[in-house]
Amino acid sequence: MTDTENILLNRRTIRKFTRQQVPDELLDRLLMAACRTSTTGNMQVYSIIVTRDEDIKKDLLPLHFNQKMITEAPVVLTFCADFNRFNHWCRLRNAEPGYDNFLSFLTAAIDALIAAQTFCVAAESEGLGICYLGTTTYMAHKIIEVLRLPKGVVPVTTITLGWPAEIPEQPDRLPLHGIVHREIYSEYTDSDIEKIYSAKEARDDSKSFIAENNKTTLAQVFTDVRYKKDDNVAFSKMLLQVLKDQGFMNQ
């Protein structure tokens, strides 16, 4: 097994960090690695906002549902889909950009996420810990205000970065046969689903989630508590409005 495989197969999400700072030189090397990653058409239509300032972190904290990593981690990075820079360049070079549509947002969002994951792999190879925050798209409109993002820029994910103050248990993952399809997509049978999710449902923490939330199955914890339909619809409407306000819905 290579060192990279070992890091990837043994990775953990870190939510508690020491007070030790991440040196600027190290952070810049990680950012450089992230910016060498694959990108659509070699356009690099993403930007990375690096936040160390404690006051700005405090402003971001409620927008990430008061997850303490925002203020406790030495560095917070917000990865953004960004056509603002590319559009500006096009107009300076007498080229009229046509990137004010949903496809262009999706292109930039994919670019940003690839860069984010490349950054995380590089960071973990240096012994740093990271945590993805899925709250970024929920509160994108407010994050735009705090980070002063111009039109053409939308935050798509946030990563907290620092030196681990814990070695938590590795989170569970579905078995490979539940994820990988050979040659073409193979529809799942009821029996397939039972086999794929049996280990996850048998875990002690899963049983605790069920009991704590007064549910009868783990699936109900997801559908009725963690990711409810009403919340999904509400946050979807807000995100679509953000895309319209930021200039990505002209189609």
Side-chain angles (χ1 to χ4, degrees), residues 51-160:
T51 302
R52 290 184 182 268
D53 183 272
E54 297 300 328
D55 290 332
I56 298 178
K57 288 183 189 176
K58 289 177 183 177
D59 289 339
L60 289 171
L61 180 62
L63 309 184
H64 289 287
F65 300 178
N66 292 311
Q67 297 180 82
K68 293 189 295 183
M69 299 94 70
I70 288 291
T71 51
E72 293 178 353
V75 184
V76 176
L77 301 104
T78 306
F79 288 77
C80 304
D82 183 358
F83 258 104
N84 174 59
R85 179 182 63 249
F86 195 81
N87 288 345
H88 194 155
W89 174 66
C90 287
R91 293 188 176 106
L92 280 176
R93 295 296 183 264
N94 196 31
E96 185 57 33
Y99 309 117
D100 54 351
N101 46 70
F102 181 75
L103 178 63
S104 296
F105 164 73
L106 188 58
T107 296
I110 291 170
D111 266 18
L113 293 172
I114 294 172
Q117 184 57 25
T118 302
F119 178 90
C120 289
V121 173
E124 290 172 330
S125 73
E126 296 283 353
L128 287 156
I130 65 93
C131 181
Y132 272 98
L133 283 83
T135 42
T136 307
T137 50
Y138 297 170
M139 300 299 289
H141 57 304
K142 294 295 184 181
I143 294 172
I144 285 171
E145 293 178 4
V146 170
L147 299 181
R148 302 179 187 177
L149 304 181
K151 194 169 184 176
V153 184
V154 176
V156 292
T157 196
T158 299
I159 293 167
T160 51

